[in-house]
Amino acid sequence: MTSARLEAEYILPLRWTEDSGLPELVAYLQRLAAWIPVIVVDGSSPELFERHRTQFPPTVRHIRPGNQADPGTHAAQHRNGKVAGVMTGVRAAAAEMLVIADDDVRYTRTSLAAVVGHLGRADVVRPQNYFDPLPWHAWWDTSRTLINRAWSADFPGTLALRRSALLATDGYEPVLFENLELIRTVKAAGGREVIVPDLFVARRPPEARHFLKQRVRQAYDDFAQPRRLAAELALLPVVTAAAFLPARTRRKAFLGLAAAAAVVAATGRRRHNGSAVFPLRAVWFAPLWAMERAVCIWCALAFRLAGGVPYAGARLKTAAHSEAELRRRHHGKLGAFRQQQPGTPQAGTAQPDSAQAGTAQASTTATKEQT
């Protein structure tokens, strides 16, 4: 028996320079379109856009960013193409409940129904990504995920949100750490965030070359998180100081620092049943990731002082705006927007039966989903 499609829409912002991953993406879209209406906002070159149009399933809505379906897009949003794509999709969508996902995210129907179901009590929902498959650089990056889970929570490449939560603020700024900016904007306007660290959604790892190019850019994101930034800036001075200790003490210091990173990662792996999807081997990459970040955060600081980090042919200086700044801009906007549009559902209202079932199944069982 075929399950009914979810009462939501899926927005996939896309901007490719080459098509090596097209067959796998098309196969995913074919499955996905049977579960939920899909909008692909494609900022690729005209040649690639036309190729995608012929390959994507006919049920997928395939549009350009900033086209007629999106008359309100600000020119500034094109400094970060993903933000422009997301806002085009949000304005083009008809559903109140939306799932926004990068092109490397791979939901199952169960996890998709679960994340939509959580919108019954939230305005923005943050699930947990994990890499599948796991080449060497995905092991390395997984250790970063584990440390994030121990510190607080990880930031995935996908969010679920209520359409009204973004329309109330007329979108969000095209900064570098765009998912954090989106979450903070919704919360500043009066929305509620729900973090679901045991709702696991697979993600395809990037090519190794792309992974290496992201090291400093990812470090730059931490300028939006001052306490974490301070801790990471302290890593290199600590390691440097340890290098000048007497030989026996130096060895103990280095072993202690490496063990500390591994213990933090192991803590993140244990939290919220993370061991269901994060292999133990990833813990041993944590000292390597910590050393990488100790160096890259100072490179990021140099870019900051030079005017920003290179991104898509431009420089972006702002990682994300502070919560205080966004509250100043958007406080009370969501409540006012919903009063003006009384038919808009709010967090806490009844959700579709299919979404409720998915929430119960996927959020209470943290087993690895086969994709």
Side-chain angles (χ1 to χ4, degrees):
M1 181 177 176
T2 303
S3 301
R5 293 175 99 194
L6 296 169
E7 296 180 17
E9 290 185 62
Y10 189 103
I11 298 171
L12 194 160
L14 186 69
R15 188 170 64 174
W16 281 2
T17 57
E18 56 88 25
D19 264 357
S20 60
L22 184 59
E24 200 269 344
L25 178 62
V26 168
Y28 174 61
L29 290 175
Q30 288 173 339
R31 299 192 303 272
L32 188 66
W35 308 330
I36 187 172
V38 179
I39 301 173
V40 176
V41 186
D42 192 349
S44 306
S45 68
E47 179 184 353
L48 292 181
F49 181 90
E50 290 304 319
R51 188 181 304 163
H52 298 164
R53 182 180 291 281
T54 62
Q55 294 292 316
F56 289 166
T59 52
V60 169
R61 187 176 176 189
H62 183 220
I63 61 176
R64 278 283 191 189
N67 66 3
Q68 292 180 354
D70 183 27
T73 297
H74 299 298
Q77 287 174 343
H78 292 275
R79 293 199 302 269
N80 185 318
K82 180 180 174 181
V83 175
V86 167
M87 289 312 303
T88 297
V90 168
R91 293 191 173 96
E96 167 66 1
M97 295 185 180
L98 306 175
V99 177
I100 299 170
D102 292 345
D103 55 40
D104 56 2
V105 171
R106 296 294 180 266
Y107 277 94
T108 65
R109 194 189 191 285
T110 298
S111 59
L112 189 62
V115 78
V116 171
H118 282 292
L119 286 173
R121 61 190 180 99
D123 296 290
V124 60
V125 178
R126 194 189 334 171
Q128 174 66 65
N129 278 149
Y130 67 95
F131 285 120
D132 181 25
L134 281 166
W136 70 266
H137 55 285
W139 289 102
W140 188 302
D141 211 20
T142 294
S143 67
R144 173 188 59 85
T145 296
L146 299 182
I147 290 171
N148 286 345
R149 284 169 62 89
W151 183 284
S152 56
D154 192 36
F155 286 92
T158 178
L159 298 170
L161 75 151
R162 289 181 172 270
R163 181 172 181 264
S164 57
L166 271 187
L167 293 182
T169 62
D170 196 28
Y172 60 114
E173 290 292 317
V175 296
L176 188 68
F177 199 168
E178 77 284 336
N179 276 356
L180 177 59
E181 182 81 359
L182 187 157
I183 291 168
R184 286 180 174 177
T185 298
V186 170
K187 291 170 66 177
R192 181 187 180 198
E193 179 191 19
V194 169
I195 302 172
V196 195
D198 60 351
L199 175 49
F200 300 114
V201 180
R203 188 172 193 175
R204 301 294 183 246
E207 295 294 328
R209 182 178 179 182
H210 184 66
F211 164 80
L212 293 172
K213 288 170 62 177
Q214 286 183 317
R215 298 305 86 213
V216 174
R217 193 210 62 76
Q218 280 192 354
Y220 198 97
D221 285 344
D222 288 333
F223 282 95
Q225 304 173 89
R227 286 183 295 178
R228 179 172 180 138
L229 174 66
E232 291 180 355
L233 285 171
L235 287 174
L236 188 59
V238 168
V239 172
T240 302
F244 288 95
L245 294 172
R248 181 178 296 180
T249 306
R250 182 169 62 244
R251 285 194 297 270
K252 290 180 179 178
F254 284 158
L255 286 173
L257 290 171
V263 167
V264 171
T267 300
R269 180 176 178 266
R270 288 195 303 269
R271 292 188 68 193
H272 308 292
N273 205 21
S275 58
V277 296
F278 299 118
L280 179 61
R281 183 179 172 186
V283 169
W284 307 118
F285 282 79
L288 297 176
W289 179 85
M291 280 303 303
E292 169 219 306
R293 183 53 57 91
V295 174
C296 287
I297 195 65
W298 283 93
C299 296
L301 178 59
F303 278 117
R304 175 83 170 190
L305 296 175
V309 68
Y311 181 87
R315 281 185 180 268
L316 290 178
K317 184 170 185 178
T318 304
H321 292 95
S322 69
E323 293 171 299
E325 170 63 19
L326 292 172
R327 279 195 300 269
R328 185 187 66 79
R329 297 182 188 182
H330 301 300
H331 177 71
K333 285 185 177 180
L334 182 53
F337 180 85
R338 286 174 173 163
Q339 284 181 353
Q340 294 171 3
Q341 308 207 13
T344 304
Q346 300 184 28
T349 57
Q351 52 188 311
D353 291 342
S354 60
Q356 289 180 335
T359 303
Q361 184 175 357
S363 294
T364 59
T365 61
T367 56
K368 183 173 182 177
E369 301 178 76
Q370 300 300 316
T371 57

